[in-house]
Amino acid sequence: MMKFTAGQISRFAFVYLVSEPLVFFVGRLMKLSTYQGWITLLGACLLSSLLLYLTVKLGQIHPESSWVEFGSRILGKQMHNVFLLLVLLLSIYLISLDVTNFSTFIGSMYLVETPMWLIMSLTVLCISLSTRTGLEAIIYMGEGIFLVILFSSLVTSPMMITSSNAGMMMALLTHHDLKRGVLDSFSALAWFSEWIFFLFTAPFVTFGKKLFRGLLMSLISTIVFISLFWLICLINFGPYLGQQLRYPILEVVRVARYGDFLDNLDPFLIAFWSSTMFIRSSFLLYVASVCLSKLVGFSDRRRTVFLLGSISGTFAMQYAGHTTNYEVDTRTYAVLAFVLSIELLPIYYLFVYKIRSLKVKHKNKPI
């Protein structure tokens, strides 16, 4: 059986966590919190750290088996299957958003005359083929792109502030609203609390203190990374223009001047980001295929990959054709509550497990 180290999973977690927020969360963060986006990110980091700790504790209950298998021993088979279905639906929803965002950007910037259905079909095909190769290939792809993303972003970020208004940074110290910051932190939490998906890496990795520390460092690195590029967008566009842009960080990349030799560097940076999106979506599709295989009793999860990929692609095409529905589904509190309720599943399982453990101890206590 293949085994992953805590370091491998941590590096993959950074790629997974940073892929979508880096491009699509920055604009919303400006609209959500304007100048106090750093407070929102800090609050989301603290809340996500707590959920990460509880998720690792859940994974430690039966480290020799996956949560998909031992979850039924805690809540019962029927209730566990209901939660598996919810995780499956959340995975499909997130994949459809990823495909929609990626295809819309590529179609509007580089493939203007290419039909949207063709871009989405090819995107879903690539994701499905990656997923069929298995979890091992997905983790190794994340490891491979980790250093490339880190190096390219940190090297080019100083070049993105050459024409910015650094004086705007004073507003970070003068604009404070603690109540709003707390509420915004819960809204941002959904972007950084998808730890339940990492339970699907068991038993290929040992859940323990080493993994917790590694994943915590990945989370902190992601928050620092997002904060850096949020600040770059803020001092380049300001909070009001920035929130009107659908892809503010990509706009910064496209207009930045890197020098005569590197003036056409933006397609490479966007290609690196696109790789992280494919890796993230492949992992989500892997999770969905495991859930569906468990629910219907398939021994080979690969039989469900193309079916689930097609469903995700269909939803993505609907979003692309109905922009209003897309905006509603990504910004309403009802959808936020749905997403968070599933991401908080480790708390439910731990609570029930503790209650049952106390009952067993009380029953076995000598009179």
Side-chain angles (χ1 to χ4, degrees):
M1 183 177 65
M2 59 181 175
K3 295 290 288 185
F4 302 118
T5 65
Q8 288 177 307
I9 297 299
S10 301
R11 289 187 288 272
F12 169 77
F14 173 81
V15 172
Y16 176 89
L17 291 173
V18 83
S19 58
E20 288 300 292
L22 179 62
V23 179
F24 301 110
F25 181 64
V26 172
R28 295 183 191 178
L29 183 60
M30 289 183 176
K31 188 172 185 177
L32 188 68
S33 305
T34 58
Y35 290 104
Q36 61 175 24
W38 65 276
I39 299 178
T40 298
L41 290 173
L42 179 60
C45 181
L46 294 175
L47 293 171
S48 182
S49 300
L50 176 60
L51 183 58
L52 169 62
Y53 173 78
L54 296 175
T55 303
V56 174
K57 294 294 289 185
L58 177 60
Q60 287 179 305
I61 294 177
H62 293 285
E64 75 284 352
S65 62
S66 170
W67 168 76
V68 177
E69 302 296 334
F70 74 76
S72 58
R73 305 178 210 167
I74 300 176
L75 289 185
K77 184 176 180 180
Q78 292 183 344
M79 185 59 68
H80 180 59
N81 286 344
V82 170
F83 286 140
L84 282 179
L85 179 61
L86 291 176
V87 173
L88 167 63
L89 294 176
L90 178 60
S91 301
I92 292 177
Y93 169 73
L94 294 176
I95 295 169
S96 64
L97 292 185
D98 292 350
V99 173
T100 301
N101 290 328
F102 173 77
S103 302
T104 301
F105 172 76
I106 293 297
S108 61
M109 295 294 181
Y110 296 103
L111 303 174
V112 180
E113 297 183 1
T114 304
M116 186 60 65
W117 66 266
L118 180 58
I119 298 175
M120 288 187 171
S121 298
L122 293 175
T123 301
V124 170
L125 178 62
C126 292
I127 293 171
S128 300
L129 291 174
S130 299
T131 305
R132 278 186 62 88
T133 59
L135 180 62
E136 187 174 14
I138 296 173
I139 299 296
Y140 287 156
M141 284 191 295
E143 271 206 293
I145 201 68
F146 169 75
L147 288 178
V148 176
I149 289 293
L150 201 62
F151 177 77
S152 61
S153 299
L154 293 179
V155 167
T156 56
S157 56
M159 306 173 190
M160 300 178 187
I161 60 176
T162 53
S163 58
S164 60
N165 181 11
M168 200 177 297
M169 295 175 63
M170 285 297 299
L172 303 181
L173 304 177
T174 58
H175 286 65
H176 297 145
D177 186 342
L178 185 59
K179 181 179 179 180
R180 181 181 177 184
V182 172
L183 294 175
D184 292 347
S185 296
F186 281 97
S187 298
L189 176 62
W191 289 83
F192 306 104
S193 59
E194 297 170 6
W195 301 114
I196 189 171
F197 296 131
F198 287 84
L199 288 172
F200 288 79
T201 60
F204 310 118
V205 64
T206 302
F207 277 74
K209 292 183 179 179
K210 191 173 182 179
L211 180 63
F212 171 72
R213 289 194 296 266
L215 292 177
L216 182 61
M217 286 303 301
S218 298
L219 173 63
I220 295 173
S221 301
T222 299
I223 295 297
V224 171
F225 215 67
I226 301 299
S227 300
L228 171 63
F229 284 95
W230 163 77
L231 183 60
I232 289 175
C233 290
L234 183 68
I235 61 180
N236 271 280
F237 301 125
Y240 304 108
L241 174 59
Q243 65 184 254
Q244 301 300 322
L245 300 174
R246 188 168 185 178
Y247 315 105
I249 188 62
L250 295 180
E251 293 296 336
V252 172
V253 170
R254 292 178 68 241
V255 303
R257 310 306 298 176
Y258 306 103
D260 293 336
F261 179 69
L262 300 176
D263 267 349
N264 295 320
L265 188 62
D266 58 288
F268 294 98
L269 297 177
I270 293 172
F272 296 154
W273 161 75
S274 302
S275 300
T276 67
M277 190 282 300
F278 277 96
I279 293 169
R280 168 188 160 91
S281 297
S282 298
F283 181 61
L284 289 171
L285 188 55
Y286 168 83
V287 170
S289 66
V290 171
C291 290
L292 183 57
S293 299
K294 178 65 176 179
L295 290 172
V296 300
F298 286 165
S299 58
D300 187 0
R301 59 152 197 91
R302 291 180 296 179
R303 296 167 62 182
T304 65
V305 168
F306 286 110
L307 171 63
L308 293 170
S310 300
I311 294 173
S312 302
T314 301
F315 287 156
M317 290 180 188
Q318 291 297 315
Y319 280 141
H322 301 84
T323 308
T324 303
N325 292 341
Y326 171 83
E327 294 296 330
V328 169
D329 287 352
T330 55
R331 296 177 186 269
T332 60
Y333 285 106
V335 173
L336 175 64
F338 166 74
V339 173
L340 284 178
S341 65
I342 300 175
E343 293 177 345
L344 295 176
L345 281 179
I347 298 178
Y348 312 152
Y349 278 83
L350 277 177
F351 178 76
V352 175
Y353 176 76
K354 292 296 183 182
I355 294 296
R356 289 192 170 185
S357 298
L358 290 175
K359 287 183 177 181
V360 170
K361 289 180 180 180
H362 180 73
K363 184 177 180 181
N364 296 333
K365 186 177 180 180
I367 300 176

